Amino acid sequence: MPKISNNTIEQIKTRADVLEIVSDVVQLKQRGRNYFGLCPFHEEKTPSFSVNPSLGIFHCFGCGKGGNALTFVMEYEKIDYLDALKRLADRYGIAIEWEGGEDSKKGDIALIYELHQIAAEFYHKQLMSEGGHAALEYLEKRGFKRKIIEQFGIGYAADEWENLFRQIDPNRFTPAVLEKSGLFVRKEGNKFYDRFRNRIMFPIVNLAGRTVAFGGRALDPNEEAKYLNSPETPIYFKSGIFYGLNLSKDAVQKTGDAIIVEGYTDFLRFFCNGFTNVVAGSGTALTHHHARLIRRFTNKVTLCYDGDEAGQKATERAGFMLMREGLDVRAIRLPEKDDPDSFLREHSAQKFRQIYESASDFITYYVDSQAAELTTPAAKNQFVERIAEELVEIRNPVILDLIVGEVAGHINVKEEHIQAQMRYIARRRSNQNRAGANSGKETKAGLRLPTAADKAEYELLKMILTRHENLQDLIKDHLKAENFRHPVLRPIADKLFADLDRGNLPQPNELFNTEWNEDQRLYLARLILEADPLQYAEDVDILLNLTRDCIAVLLTLDIDTEISAVRDKIKAVEKKGEDSTALVIQLSNLRQKRRTIENKVKT
């Protein structure tokens, strides 16, 4: 039986946005980080249905439905996993690759790749022809030598409407494939024109070395759009690719750092000046998809954007986003008149290396950029309010403490003031979430945790999902998944412990990729939502103590059962007037054993 390829499934899951999908059928209003509306799965008068875009999940506090974008489509449209994937693929224009059959559908992607290869070779040939003389001369005057032009396959799209289109066999490529490729613009009927004209062409190549898109720089200075980039297509997701990473990834890994720039020529200037650990966006602002891609190669990045105000604002947005994703971020401030390309053209590579190697960590960069305004107590207070909104998103408590100390030192305020503002923000968000949760009390779906052991299992899984490594390590040191006995929580424990053993706990929305039953999805969604605000806990020691208590409950569960049974025996023996000494000694030994376990956990 044919099945959808893993590559296609990953594309679908990467692009599917739960807020966007739910908003098609539910009117949502924002409350803090969450969005609330009337549940589409049951009748209610007050909104109890919540969407958390940052976690990538939805959950109804009334009926208990929960999951990610894919499970929402399955639940709402009453379709199975395969049909939901097809529906989302169609929504986002993703051509499905099939394994074990469906060759005709698989062919679309292969043909789009082939079109891009034809285009890349043709554009490069055009650059080297007589017709591309002006474009080649422009590149050479900018200091780009033939070697770098060849290495990156730079080309030229002539100022003609059908120059590339004439290279295409119309019998091989259907109108649908031509339109999906993004290389052509379809007019009336099946008339196609080249998307790129009179532009220097920069092929965008994926990590597999295949051309998936183009960036075109206008040669005409009067052209309204200086850069024109390929639209997103079934083979090109802008937020899932860096320009040049296919050739710079080895240097990124070797140096342990990636220099991130915005433009194609910025990238090439760095690369040909020996800074080969460089990557560039491809016509879009940095997103968490970019952050997760670069983390495959390094945990450290250095931002180097234009020196003007727009470039510095982009640096700030990118810096905070990358920090939230756990990356170690530095930033370079260029002179206001410079971009990375112009700086290296006008100065030596050695000059840039000096500022690169002495680049500030991002927080220092950010505070310094605001320093001129921080001259009054009111201005400092407003600054603390702004930066606290960003810092509260950082999940690693050690990194967060260090950053708070750094900010406090820079602006000469007490750390406690920043922490207090962060606590206020965390409480506000938590209250907003709770307000949404409590609004569906008429039909609220409850968790079935009747015993102390059930409650302890629930709390321990929640602690794992806070992503505090010290809590996770404590739990792994004392427990295995087998210690969890609750019929709904045990499968979740199996999944989370297996992920921890691999050192790869998935993101919240990815946890729903497992085919859970309805009860398991309810518990998992509630665990995720309750764990999320705990990442901002001001005192992790409180969570550590709770975790130790819960571990002790599970480890002593069988002993407590034995203690209870021995007590009953003692009562029965004494009621008969018989000697209970042996049983009392057994009871004392069991209690000592229990204390030993508790002490071991709590030290």
Side-chain angles (χ1 to χ4, degrees):
M1 173 181 283
K3 65 176 185 176
I4 297 176
S5 71
N6 289 333
N7 178 54
T8 301
I9 292 172
E10 285 307 308
Q11 285 189 62
I12 293 168
K13 289 177 178 177
T14 298
R15 295 210 204 179
D17 183 295
V18 67
L19 180 61
E20 179 183 294
I21 289 166
V22 172
S23 295
D24 284 348
V25 295
V26 179
Q27 185 175 356
L28 298 169
K29 292 185 178 179
Q30 187 172 7
R31 297 181 196 163
R33 300 171 70 197
N34 289 358
Y35 292 75
F36 285 89
L38 295 174
C39 180
F41 302 117
H42 79 285
E43 293 292 330
E44 61 178 7
K45 296 178 182 178
T46 54
S48 63
F49 182 85
S50 168
V51 178
N52 187 310
S54 64
L55 297 177
I57 67 171
F58 72 91
H59 178 67
C60 178
F61 292 91
C63 67
K65 297 284 188 185
N68 57 15
L70 183 63
T71 53
F72 180 84
V73 173
M74 292 170 63
E75 290 281 355
Y76 186 76
E77 300 195 22
K78 306 297 182 188
I79 56 179
D80 62 20
Y81 178 76
L82 185 62
D83 285 337
L85 285 172
K86 290 179 181 177
R87 192 66 52 89
L88 289 173
D90 182 62
R91 177 191 182 107
Y92 290 101
I94 299 171
I96 295 177
E97 286 183 325
W98 295 86
E99 295 175 351
E102 299 281 352
D103 287 339
S104 61
K105 292 189 177 182
K106 182 179 179 180
D108 280 4
I109 284 184
L111 290 170
I112 292 171
Y113 274 122
E114 187 177 334
L115 277 171
H116 279 79
Q117 185 59 33
I118 291 170
E121 292 175 358
F122 177 69
Y123 289 144
H124 184 66
K125 184 179 178 181
Q126 288 290 103
L127 178 67
M128 297 304 174
S129 71
E130 185 177 345
H133 176 74
L136 183 60
E137 184 178 44
Y138 171 85
L139 287 168
E140 290 178 335
K141 283 182 177 179
R142 293 284 298 268
F144 295 118
K145 297 181 180 179
R146 294 288 181 100
K147 180 181 177 182
I148 205 80
I149 292 170
E150 293 283 351
Q151 188 175 8
F152 286 89
I154 300 171
Y156 170 63
D159 192 12
E160 298 181 29
W161 289 97
E162 299 179 346
N163 203 30
L164 177 62
F165 183 73
R166 287 195 294 268
Q167 313 305 311
I168 304 303
D169 180 357
N171 296 317
R172 180 166 176 73
F173 301 98
T174 65
V177 168
L178 293 176
E179 188 169 20
K180 286 179 184 178
S181 74
L183 294 169
F184 307 97
V185 177
R186 189 174 190 169
K187 297 298 185 182
E188 60 279 352
N190 287 332
K191 185 70 173 175
F192 287 90
Y193 300 104
D194 295 357
R195 179 178 297 276
F196 299 100
R197 298 183 302 279
N198 197 28
R199 290 179 181 270
I200 294 172
M201 303 298 290
F202 299 92
I204 298 170
V205 180
N206 65 17
L207 289 176
R210 306 182 76 175
T211 302
V212 295
F214 292 91
R217 189 198 189 284
L219 275 177
D220 184 352
N222 297 318
E223 176 65 48
E224 185 176 342
K226 181 179 178 181
Y227 278 97
L228 178 66
N229 297 292
S230 291
E232 291 196 343
T233 70
I235 65 170
Y236 177 51
F237 177 36
K238 290 183 180 182
S239 293
I241 193 168
F242 278 111
Y243 176 73
L245 182 58
N246 60 305
L247 292 179
S248 66
K249 62 182 186 294
D250 291 342
V252 168
Q253 287 180 308
K254 184 177 179 180
T255 62
D257 182 36
I259 303 172
I260 301 180
V261 297
E262 286 189 291
Y264 308 117
T265 55
D266 294 334
F267 173 95
L268 294 171
R269 184 69 58 198
F270 276 56
F271 198 91
C272 64
N273 274 273
F275 300 96
T276 54
N277 58 320
V278 61
V279 298
S282 58
T284 184
L286 290 190
T287 69
H288 68 277
H289 297 293
H290 286 113
R292 291 168 189 174
L293 172 60
I294 205 66
R295 281 182 65 184
R296 291 167 53 185
F297 303 97
T298 182
N299 285 319
K300 183 179 178 182
V301 298
T302 302
L303 296 167
C304 186
Y305 287 2
D306 293 357
D308 60 13
E309 183 179 356
Q312 299 315 297
K313 291 295 184 186
T315 301
E316 292 173 12
R317 289 192 297 271
F320 281 118
M321 184 279 297
L322 293 166
M323 284 178 57
R324 286 196 297 273
E325 293 297 322
L327 287 155
D328 179 5
V329 186
R330 298 190 306 161
I332 291 171
R333 187 185 307 280
L334 294 177
E336 187 174 356
K337 65 180 179 63
D338 276 322
D339 56 38
D341 179 22
S342 67
F343 184 89
L344 270 173
R345 276 189 285 125
E346 295 174 16
H347 304 276
S348 66
Q350 183 59 34
K351 175 68 174 176
F352 178 78
R353 184 165 297 280
Q354 289 173 1
I355 63 172
Y356 169 46
E357 293 178 350
S358 61
S360 303
D361 66 88
F362 175 71
I363 288 298
T364 299
Y365 167 92
Y366 178 68
V367 175
D368 285 349
S369 70
Q370 311 289 316
E373 301 175 9
L374 303 180
T375 56
T376 66
K380 287 186 178 181
N381 181 63
Q382 291 174 355
F383 176 81
V384 168
E385 290 176 354
R386 289 198 307 273
I387 199 168
E389 291 280 357
E390 301 287 353
L391 297 184
V392 78
E393 300 280 357
I394 296 173
R395 299 185 177 188
N396 187 306
V398 176
I399 292 175
L400 184 57
D401 283 347
L402 292 172
I403 291 174
V404 169
E406 189 177 349
V407 173
H410 277 302
I411 64 175
N412 195 26
V413 300
K414 292 182 179 180
E415 292 181 32
E416 290 80 4
H417 294 163
I418 301 173
Q419 291 165 341
Q421 181 64 23
M422 291 169 59
R423 289 195 295 272
Y424 165 75
I425 293 166
R427 284 196 301 270
R428 184 189 69 203
R429 293 177 178 180
S430 181
N431 290 338
Q432 288 167 337
N433 291 345
R434 195 176 297 115
N438 291 337
S439 62
K441 283 184 176 177
E442 316 112 323
T443 58
K444 186 170 182 178
L447 304 174
R448 296 182 295 279
L449 305 170
T451 69
D454 293 335
K455 294 181 177 68
E457 290 183 24
Y458 184 85
E459 291 299 322
L460 288 167
L461 295 182
K462 187 195 301 182
M463 293 304 109
I464 290 174
L465 290 170
T466 64
R467 299 174 189 270
H468 289 298
E469 291 184 7
N470 47 357
L471 300 181
Q472 295 174 345
D473 290 342
L474 179 62
I475 294 168
K476 286 194 300 177
D477 286 344
H478 292 282
L479 297 174
K480 298 183 183 297
E482 291 76 13
N483 293 108
F484 291 73
R485 302 178 183 181
H486 188 284
V488 180
L489 295 176
R490 172 58 188 274
I492 298 174
D494 286 336
K495 165 68 174 166
L496 296 185
F497 273 80
D499 290 333
L500 288 177
D501 287 342
R502 287 193 296 269
N504 182 29
L505 187 65
Q507 293 300 308
N509 64 313
E510 295 169 348
L511 287 168
F512 287 96
N513 292 343
T514 300
E515 293 187 22
W516 307 106
N517 64 35
E518 189 167 333
D519 280 343
Q520 290 160 357
R521 286 201 299 272
L522 185 157
Y523 280 67
L524 182 59
R526 201 70 63 82
L527 282 165
I528 291 170
L529 290 171
E530 291 181 19
D532 184 50
L534 296 180
Q535 65 185 292
Y536 315 120
E538 58 187 280
D539 189 352
V540 180
D541 286 342
I542 294 174
L543 300 183
L544 279 168
N545 291 333
L546 172 62
T547 301
R548 291 188 181 102
D549 289 341
C550 291
I551 290 172
V553 168
L554 297 194
L555 289 180
T556 59
L557 184 61
D558 290 337
I559 295 175
D560 285 340
T561 302
E562 288 186 62
I563 288 173
S564 180
V566 172
R567 280 176 177 163
D568 290 342
K569 288 180 182 179
I570 290 173
K571 288 178 183 178
V573 167
E574 291 180 344
K575 189 175 183 180
K576 294 177 183 179
E578 299 174 357
D579 184 12
S580 63
T581 303
L583 289 171
V584 170
I585 292 172
Q586 184 182 355
L587 179 62
S588 177
N589 290 338
L590 286 170
R591 285 172 171 166
Q592 180 58 45
K593 185 177 179 181
R594 192 184 197 284
R595 284 194 294 271
T596 301
I597 292 173
E598 288 179 334
N599 291 336
K600 184 178 178 181
V601 172
K602 294 179 181 181
T603 56

